[in-house]
Amino acid sequence: MKKTILMFLLVFSAIMNAQTDKQKISGKVVDNTGQAIPNVTISVDGNSIITDLDGKYTVQVKSAKSVLKFSYLGFDTKSVEAGKNSTLNVTLLESNNVLNEIVVVGYGTQKRSSVTGSVAKLKSERIEKAPVSRLDQAIQGKIAGVRVQNISSEAGATTQINIRGIASISAGAGPLVVVDGQPMADGMGSVNNADVESVEVLKDAASAAIYGSRAAGGVIMITTKKGKEGKTKFKFSNTTGIKSVAKTYDVMSTTDYVERLYAESTLRINDPLWTGGTTLANTIGSLGKFQSQYAIEKELLNGQGTDWQKEALRTAFYQDLQFNVSGGSKKNSFYVSSGFQKDDGLMLKSNFQKLNFRFKFDSELTDKIKLNVNLNPSNTITERPAANFIDFARFPSFMPVYHTQKTADYINAQDPTRNIKVGDFAEDDDFSGIAYSSIDPQGNAYTVSNNTNNRPFNTSNTNPIRNLTQQDDKTNDFRFQGSAGLTFELAKGLSFKTTQSVYFRNTERKQTGETNAARFGNPNYATYTSTRFYDFLTENTLNYNKSIGNHDFTALVGATYETKNTKSLVTAGTTFSSESIRNLNYATVILQPVQSDITINLASV
């Protein structure tokens, strides 16, 4: 017996020691400048986690001898023994290979080790695999110090980008986006992810020395792919995915809420300190309203309330088709690509499509003259939902989306003048001034009279599905980015480059709505917004490069001139004779057009 007890104690002690050996370790991973690194992989005891956007992590290890392995692309992998630490902060150093890679800095390129400022680089292989329709979404969480935040759940919606925090309260805090040397007024909207060779981020004040005050929020420099010497290569890819809702707002149904009110009423009545009365009317404010809601959901909807969030959401599909051809000889190279992306939002009437084409040609015309041509037309179609999702989260569950036979018969029996039909949108006024009878949560029968003050629900807005489906908001964007450049080698190490670039964007937005779509009494309408943006940039630079031993000397002299013009026109009309006609010629009321024409010139030396 003693041996059995002793054996049990030994086993129990071993189990307790094994459990007490486990410990939780938290910390932060930064680079050699102290900047947090997100998405660092931390491997320990056969498990892996990643750091959050602030570079922080929490992990449980089996023992003090466990080894934590920290790895991130572009940095040396670091292994640290857990020991008895509860906090473990780690600094990762950039690998030597990264220090020797070439990065784009303004009007030229340098080795990363030669750059005094802070530059981060992201290569194409980490961008192409991202199942997203925009480049700014593809770099999200992949570059230290760059915060990319989704500010809208709409498909194809732009993001908010901040480099090393917000630098200004009133001025724009977003970075300057430069694509193949040309500043882009609308950020990354026209860039095809599959065309990107690399993304460099200039984070500090050095960027302002190149681009001036425009670079106060940092600079994101995007370099697209080009052809290489060798056999012609063909590449085709097709990515398809499905999106579904992970979680919706936790909202009580009408039945749950009224049952909670009755339970609270009982608590009040039994509370010796309660002096407000002992009837339901004394303990539940607006009792008739809640009893009417309860009766509608229980009797007319058979106890199954409407899940309004589910009505607004769907399973969405994503597709990305890409095809490119590249190749060249020693003196000539080409790159041709086309891409199509279709990205459906999780909410109804949230859709995004993008068609993109790119042609790049590089040629050595002579031993002293080089030519480069870059053409990129693209077209996007965006559909936005007219209703906010929060409207669905706060609409009560006792309200059906459409009238059923049961609700139509019940309302018409009490007031035939309403003439409710099956399939009509259910509105708050339909259920007002109607008598309701049911059994309350305490098992007592009740009847709410049909007086005009009985309004189960009161809102100035219409049924949110009606609001969503009877209004349209579609935008068509055509963009064209083109550039041509010549480089002349004047002497050894001395070259002159001239580049002419244009960027054109034509935006046509159409917003329409049926009568009473958002609110009763609102007429049908149509609003047309036309915006044309034109940007011309000429750059002329003289470059000198000289290497003596381990020393590199670089000099740059240049002059640039840029002119930008934006023209917009907004026209609108209301009260059309038919819901199917939205031609402004047939509008009863034509609103005052709004027009603007703005030109900005910028010259720098």
Side-chain angles (χ1 to χ4, degrees):
M1 183 66 180
K2 290 182 179 179
K3 289 183 178 180
T4 301
I5 294 174
L6 180 61
M7 182 64 68
F8 172 78
L9 291 175
L10 289 173
V11 173
F12 180 76
S13 176
I15 294 174
M16 291 301 294
N17 285 334
Q19 291 178 342
T20 55
D21 278 347
K22 290 185 177 181
Q23 63 186 91
K24 184 180 290 186
I25 297 177
S26 300
K28 185 175 182 180
V29 182
V30 298
D31 60 18
N32 57 348
T33 66
Q35 188 68 42
I37 309 177
N39 294 325
V40 175
T41 301
I42 305 172
S43 304
V44 58
D45 299 328
N47 299 314
S48 297
I49 63 168
I50 61 173
T51 57
D52 62 18
L53 293 177
D54 297 319
K56 296 180 180 179
Y57 72 93
T58 299
V59 65
Q60 190 169 16
V61 299
K62 291 182 178 179
S63 69
K65 294 184 178 180
S66 297
V67 177
L68 288 79
K69 185 178 179 181
F70 299 82
S71 59
Y72 189 71
L73 185 67
F75 290 82
D76 290 331
T77 299
K78 190 169 186 177
S79 299
V80 182
E81 189 174 280
K84 297 182 179 180
N85 300 302
S86 59
T87 301
L88 194 59
N89 297 320
V90 174
T91 299
L92 296 184
L93 301 177
E94 289 185 278
S95 63
N96 289 330
N97 290 336
V98 172
L99 294 175
N100 289 326
E101 73 178 349
I102 301 299
V103 294
V104 178
V105 284
Y107 295 101
T109 60
Q110 293 183 13
K111 285 186 178 181
R112 183 188 292 271
S113 56
S114 302
V115 180
T116 57
S118 179
V119 180
K121 182 173 183 176
L122 186 66
K123 294 184 179 179
S124 59
E125 55 266 22
R126 301 195 63 205
I127 297 173
E128 293 180 4
K129 297 178 182 179
V132 291
S133 56
R134 289 180 58 96
L135 179 59
D136 43 8
Q137 296 172 333
I139 67 173
Q140 193 169 29
K142 295 182 174 71
I143 304 177
V146 179
R147 187 185 71 172
V148 182
Q149 182 179 4
N150 293 321
I151 56 177
S152 173
S153 59
E154 296 172 4
T158 186
T159 61
Q160 184 180 63
I161 303 178
N162 296 115
I163 298 177
R164 288 189 170 177
I166 299 175
S168 173
I169 296 175
S170 57
L176 175 68
V177 177
V178 180
V179 180
D180 289 332
Q182 184 174 8
M184 304 297 287
D186 57 352
M188 306 183 193
S190 64
V191 183
N192 184 16
N193 298 0
D195 287 341
V196 176
E197 179 68 29
S198 65
V199 176
E200 279 99 352
V201 180
L202 310 183
K203 302 180 183 179
D204 56 16
S207 59
I210 304 171
Y211 292 103
S213 60
R214 293 180 297 171
V219 179
I220 296 179
M221 308 195 68
I222 301 166
T223 304
T224 58
K225 296 176 181 177
K226 62 180 181 180
K228 297 178 181 179
E229 181 182 351
K231 293 182 179 180
T232 301
K233 296 180 180 179
F234 299 85
K235 182 178 180 181
F236 174 77
S237 66
N238 178 21
T239 303
T240 303
I242 297 176
K243 295 184 288 185
S244 59
V245 179
K247 184 175 176 60
T248 56
Y249 293 108
D250 292 326
V251 180
M252 296 180 70
S253 68
T254 297
T255 299
D256 292 336
Y257 185 68
V258 174
E259 289 176 350
R260 179 68 59 87
L261 291 178
Y262 270 78
E264 291 178 351
S265 172
T266 301
L267 293 175
R268 288 192 178 96
I269 292 172
N270 295 328
D271 185 354
L273 300 178
W274 173 258
T275 58
T278 58
T279 66
L280 287 173
N282 296 137
T283 55
I284 300 178
S286 304
L287 177 63
K289 179 181 76 172
F290 292 115
Q291 286 182 329
S292 297
Q293 294 179 2
Y294 187 78
I296 293 170
E297 184 161 295
K298 185 176 181 182
E299 308 299 336
L300 300 184
L301 303 187
N302 302 319
Q304 297 295 321
T306 304
D307 186 343
W308 284 95
Q309 296 180 79
K310 185 177 179 180
E311 294 291 334
L313 299 172
R314 63 183 176 181
T315 298
F317 296 90
Y318 169 83
Q319 186 173 30
D320 184 5
L321 295 168
Q322 299 292 335
F323 176 75
N324 67 65
V325 183
S326 64
S329 61
K330 187 175 182 180
K331 292 190 174 184
N332 301 292
S333 64
F334 68 94
Y335 175 86
V336 181
S337 74
S338 62
F340 173 76
Q341 291 175 316
K342 187 177 186 298
D343 188 7
D344 297 334
L346 290 173
M347 190 171 174
L348 297 175
K349 304 193 81 169
S350 175
N351 301 291
F352 178 79
Q353 291 184 16
K354 180 164 68 174
L355 180 64
N356 194 286
F357 177 82
R358 184 176 294 276
F359 171 77
K360 294 186 77 172
F361 178 71
D362 295 274
S363 175
E364 290 187 19
L365 301 179
T366 69
D367 293 339
K368 303 292 184 180
I369 303 176
K370 296 180 181 179
L371 168 70
N372 60 81
V373 177
N374 185 3
L375 305 176
N376 175 216
S378 66
N379 194 82
T380 61
I381 300 174
T382 306
E383 182 179 16
R384 300 178 179 88
N388 292 320
F389 182 70
I390 194 64
D391 293 340
F392 294 88
R394 62 190 180 191
F395 220 69
S397 66
F398 79 89
M399 287 284 295
V401 179
Y402 307 100
H403 278 293
T404 63
Q405 190 68 58
K406 199 169 187 178
T407 60
D409 291 345
Y410 188 85
I411 295 172
N412 290 333
Q414 297 195 43
D415 187 356
T417 63
R418 302 193 182 187
N419 194 26
I420 301 294
K421 297 182 179 63
V422 176
D424 287 350
F425 286 109
E427 303 293 350
D428 62 314
D429 286 345
D430 298 342
F431 295 91
S432 63
I434 301 294
Y436 300 100
S437 299
S438 187
I439 306 297
D440 70 15
Q442 295 178 348
N444 302 314
Y446 68 87
T447 297
V448 181
S449 65
N450 62 347
N451 64 71
T452 56
N453 293 325
N454 178 26
R455 296 187 64 88
F457 183 57
N458 188 20
T459 177
S460 60
N461 298 326
T462 58
N463 177 322
I465 288 292
R466 179 181 197 155
N467 185 9
L468 179 66
T469 58
Q470 291 191 349
Q471 296 188 91
D472 292 311
D473 186 352
K474 295 183 178 180
T475 302
N476 188 92
D477 274 314
F478 173 77
R479 299 176 173 93
F480 176 80
Q481 180 194 6
S483 66
L486 286 170
T487 303
F488 302 89
E489 186 178 344
L490 305 178
K492 186 176 180 180
L494 180 64
S495 63
F496 172 76
K497 183 177 182 180
T498 178
T499 303
Q500 317 304 314
S501 304
V502 294
Y503 178 70
F504 174 76
R505 177 179 179 179
N506 183 67
T507 303
E508 301 290 342
R509 184 178 184 183
K510 179 181 178 182
Q511 298 167 277
T512 62
E514 297 182 20
T515 305
N516 302 324
R519 293 189 178 186
F520 283 99
N522 287 2
N524 52 25
Y525 69 92
T527 301
Y528 296 88
T529 304
S530 178
T531 305
R532 287 175 174 81
F533 174 80
Y534 176 78
D535 182 2
F536 172 75
L537 173 67
T538 177
E539 296 179 318
N540 302 277
T541 57
L542 193 64
N543 295 271
Y544 179 72
N545 295 285
K546 180 71 173 177
S547 296
I548 302 176
N550 295 325
H551 303 282
D552 295 325
F553 300 91
T554 302
L556 171 70
V557 177
T560 68
Y561 175 77
E562 183 177 13
T563 179
K564 296 185 286 186
N565 177 257
T566 305
K567 294 181 180 179
S568 66
L569 175 64
V570 181
T571 55
T574 66
T575 321
F576 294 85
S577 59
S578 170
E579 299 295 350
S580 61
I581 298 176
R582 290 297 179 266
N583 189 318
L584 293 182
N585 292 328
Y586 299 97
T588 304
V589 179
I590 299 292
L591 303 181
Q592 181 71 34
V594 179
Q595 188 175 13
S596 67
D597 189 342
I598 301 172
T599 299
I600 300 174
N601 298 317
L602 176 66
S604 59
V605 178

